[in-house]
Amino acid sequence: DQQVKQNSPSLSVQEGRISILNCDYTNSMFDYFLWYKKYPAEGPTFLISISSIKDKNEDGRFTVFLNKSAKHLSLHIVPSQPGDSAVYFCAAAEYGNKLVFGAGTILRVKS
Amino acid sequence: EAGVAQSPRYKIIEKRQSVAFWCNPISGHATLYWYQQILGQGPKLLIQFQNNGVVDDSQLPKDRFSAERLKGVDSTLKIQPAKLEDSAVYLCASSLDQDRGHQPQHFGDGTRLSIL
C-alpha cells in the first residue's frame, strides 16, 4: 500500500523555466511533508518542508504548496538550473517523525 | 558541521554471508534511522533509535537483520545471513531530538550492497 505517490517518473524542463514536481498521499494523519534531492551515489539532501498548518512555504527558488483537501503537494523550482537535475523525493510523516517516501521523480533541466 | 558518516561505501558479498554497516550521526542528533533503498524505489525505514533505545523496528526483518546503538552515538546494522533480495543501498540518517517535534532528517551517502 503506497501511502505516498509520485506519479511522474521523470520530468524534463528548459533552463530558466519553472519545474513543478507533484506528490499525492493517502494517509490523513500525515502532518509534516518534506522534499529531498538526490544526486547519483550520494544520499538524499533535505530541500524544504511544510507543516500541515500551512499551505505554502518558500525558500529561495524553491516553494512547496500543500493542498490538504486534495491530499496533494507540489514543489516549484523557479528558475530551473542545470544543477537542479537530480531525483526528487517527496516524503511525509505523522507523529514520531517516521518518514514515508515516494518513489521519486527524475528531473532533467536542459541548457 | 560534519554530516552523517557511513562506511563502507560499497560491499559485495555472496548470499548466506554476513555483513555489517557503520554510521556516525551528526553531532548532537539524538535520533538515528536506518533505511533500505531498493533500485527505483524510495527509502524504506528499517529501524529508528532515540538515543540508545529503539523507537520503531516494525519493518526490520528480525530473523536476519539486527541493529544497535549502544552508547547513543554511532550505530551498526548487520545482516546475517544475506539473501539476494537484500541488494540495496543502506542509508543512515539522523535528526535532532524527535521529542521536540518534527525535524528534517539528514542522510549519509549510504552503503551500496550487492549480493552475488
Side-chain angles (χ1 to χ4, degrees):
Chain A
D1 175 31
Q2 276 190 292
Q3 297 186 70
V4 177
K5 293 183 182 179
Q6 294 177 255
N7 292 318
S8 298
S10 64
L11 174 68
S12 186
V13 170
Q14 198 67 32
E15 180 180 6
R17 304 295 292 271
I18 184 172
S19 296
I20 300 176
L21 297 107
N22 294 302
C23 179
D24 297 297
Y25 63 95
T26 57
N27 186 344
S28 58
M29 298 300 291
F30 288 145
D31 62 355
Y32 183 58
F33 304 87
L34 309 90
W35 285 94
Y36 284 84
K37 177 170 76 172
K38 186 181 181 306
Y39 293 121
E42 295 183 11
T45 302
F46 169 69
L47 262 182
I48 191 168
S49 64
I50 188 168
S51 165
S52 60
I53 62 173
K54 295 185 174 182
D55 54 18
K56 176 182 174 181
N57 189 26
E58 197 170 348
D59 184 0
R61 296 187 297 114
F62 302 92
T63 303
V64 56
F65 294 92
L66 176 63
N67 182 333
K68 290 185 290 293
S69 60
K71 295 191 176 70
H72 177 84
L73 69 155
S74 61
L75 174 68
H76 293 209
I77 306 173
V78 184
S80 300
Q81 300 174 354
D84 296 330
S85 297
V87 180
Y88 288 78
F89 290 98
C90 166
E94 52 181 297
Y95 180 76
N97 218 30
K98 173 181 174 178
L99 289 185
V100 179
F101 282 83
T105 296
I106 300 170
L107 174 65
R108 295 187 185 91
V109 180
K110 299 177 288 185
S111 56
Chain B
E1 177 183 78
V4 176
Q6 288 189 248
S7 67
R9 289 298 313 275
Y10 304 93
K11 191 73 177 179
I12 302 174
I13 62 172
E14 294 185 349
K15 60 183 179 183
R16 291 187 289 274
Q17 286 187 324
S18 63
V19 64
F21 314 123
W22 174 82
C23 171
N24 187 258
I26 293 172
S27 177
H29 281 195
T31 314
L32 184 146
Y33 314 79
W34 282 102
Y35 288 85
Q36 180 191 59
Q37 185 177 15
I38 292 171
L39 188 64
Q41 300 180 18
K44 183 186 84 172
L45 180 69
L46 292 175
I47 188 166
Q48 176 180 343
F49 291 95
Q50 178 72 8
N51 296 308
N52 60 351
V54 175
V55 173
D56 185 345
D57 63 357
S58 58
Q59 297 191 90
L60 187 74
K62 298 181 187 62
D63 58 334
R64 298 182 301 105
F65 286 65
S66 64
E68 59 184 13
R69 193 185 183 200
L70 291 176
K71 297 182 180 178
V73 181
D74 56 355
S75 175
T76 55
L77 175 70
K78 296 179 182 177
I79 308 174
Q80 182 179 14
K83 291 186 175 181
L84 291 174
E85 62 259 35
D86 298 332
S87 292
V89 175
Y90 291 85
L91 293 161
C92 179
S94 69
S95 67
L96 290 168
D97 192 338
Q98 64 160 5
D99 289 339
R100 297 185 190 180
H102 288 301
Q103 306 284 342
Q105 296 177 25
H106 300 274
F107 285 81
D109 287 337
T111 297
R112 181 175 296 278
L113 176 65
S114 298
I115 313 293
L116 304 179

